[in-house]
């Protein structure tokens, strides 16, 4: 009947509820200068889904600095499997996210806050580890949780980064 309001029973809606949340928060300061992808220190999180039908929502905030006019690239992995990334194509780098600096200076006080989210379907009840790998173009220096020049002045940043995994129930 069009004139009758029906009560919606929440149990009929189904999935989408958060089963668990696991997070890694790091203030580890590190750097890399490589065009080869490598693990970013402190940017991994492990979660054990309660059902094979569960999804895992990954959210991250990665604070990084990059000197010179340079480019940084990042990939998300579940274990050793690259997920959610575009593929490499000829000389083009496939990645989940990237950033660049074009200030032309040899060193910089800047730190870029990079945010990324991905909804994964691991189809597993075993522990899965998610991690970030990074690389630079032309072996530029990429720093994490600090500025590239790290000088002692009021504009120099020491920051933190976080990666979070949330189980989304089916």
């Amino acid at each position: 009947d069009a004139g009758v309001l029906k009560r919606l029973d929440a149990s009929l809606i189904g999935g989408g509820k958060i089963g668990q949340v696991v997070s890694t928060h790091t203030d580890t300061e590190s750097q890399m200068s490589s065009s080869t992808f490598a693990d970013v220190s402190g940017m991994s999180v492990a979660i054990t889904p309660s059902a094979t039908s569960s999804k895992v929502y990954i959210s991250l905030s990665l604070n990084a600095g990059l000197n010179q006019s340079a480019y940084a690239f990042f990939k998300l992995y579940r274990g050793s499997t690259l997920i959610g990334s575009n593929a490499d194509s000829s000389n083009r780098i496939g990645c989940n996210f990237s950033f660049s600096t074009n200030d032309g200076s040899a060193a910089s006080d800047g730190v870029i806050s990079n945010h990324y989210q991905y909804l994964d379907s691991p189809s597993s009840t075993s522990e899965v580890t998610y991690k970030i790998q990074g690389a630079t173009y032309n072996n530029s220096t990429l720093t994490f949780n600090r500025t590239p020049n790290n000088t002692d002045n009021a504009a120099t940043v020491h920051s933190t980064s976080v990666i979070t995994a949330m189980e989304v129930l089916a």
Side-chain angles (χ1 to χ4, degrees):
D1 182 54
V4 176
L5 293 176
K6 295 187 179 185
R7 192 175 129 255
L8 182 60
D9 185 346
S11 68
L12 299 176
I13 295 172
K17 296 176 182 74
I18 301 299
Q20 60 179 309
V21 177
V22 183
S23 189
T24 301
H25 183 262
T26 181
D27 61 1
T28 300
E29 295 179 11
S30 62
Q31 69 180 44
M32 65 171 50
S33 299
S34 176
S35 296
T36 302
F37 281 88
D39 292 354
V40 176
S41 181
M43 289 303 289
S44 68
V45 63
I47 190 169
T48 304
S50 60
T52 57
S53 58
S54 292
K55 297 188 181 303
V56 177
Y57 180 74
I58 301 297
S59 176
L60 68 91
S61 176
L62 175 65
N63 289 297
L66 187 62
N67 67 357
Q68 304 165 357
S69 293
Y71 306 89
F73 313 102
F74 300 95
K75 294 184 178 188
L76 174 64
Y77 284 84
R78 178 194 338 108
S80 60
T81 302
L82 178 63
I83 57 174
S85 175
N86 208 341
D88 292 345
S89 175
S90 187
N91 290 318
R92 295 177 290 276
I93 305 294
C95 63
N96 297 80
F97 62 98
S98 66
F99 76 95
S100 63
T101 58
N102 291 307
D103 61 7
S105 64
S108 173
D109 287 325
V111 170
I112 306 293
S113 186
N114 301 276
H115 304 280
Y116 183 76
Q117 295 83 36
Y118 184 76
L119 184 62
D120 187 35
S121 300
S123 301
S124 176
T125 56
S126 299
E127 182 180 78
V128 290
T129 300
Y130 293 91
K131 66 181 180 179
I132 296 296
Q133 287 194 346
T136 63
Y137 174 73
N138 270 354
N139 300 321
S140 300
T141 299
L142 176 62
T143 60
F144 300 101
N145 296 325
R146 71 170 178 85
T147 59
N149 62 8
N150 206 25
T151 58
D152 188 10
N153 65 48
T156 300
V157 175
H158 288 247
S159 59
T160 62
S161 297
V162 62
I163 183 169
T164 302
M166 293 180 270
E167 179 184 14
V168 182
L169 303 173

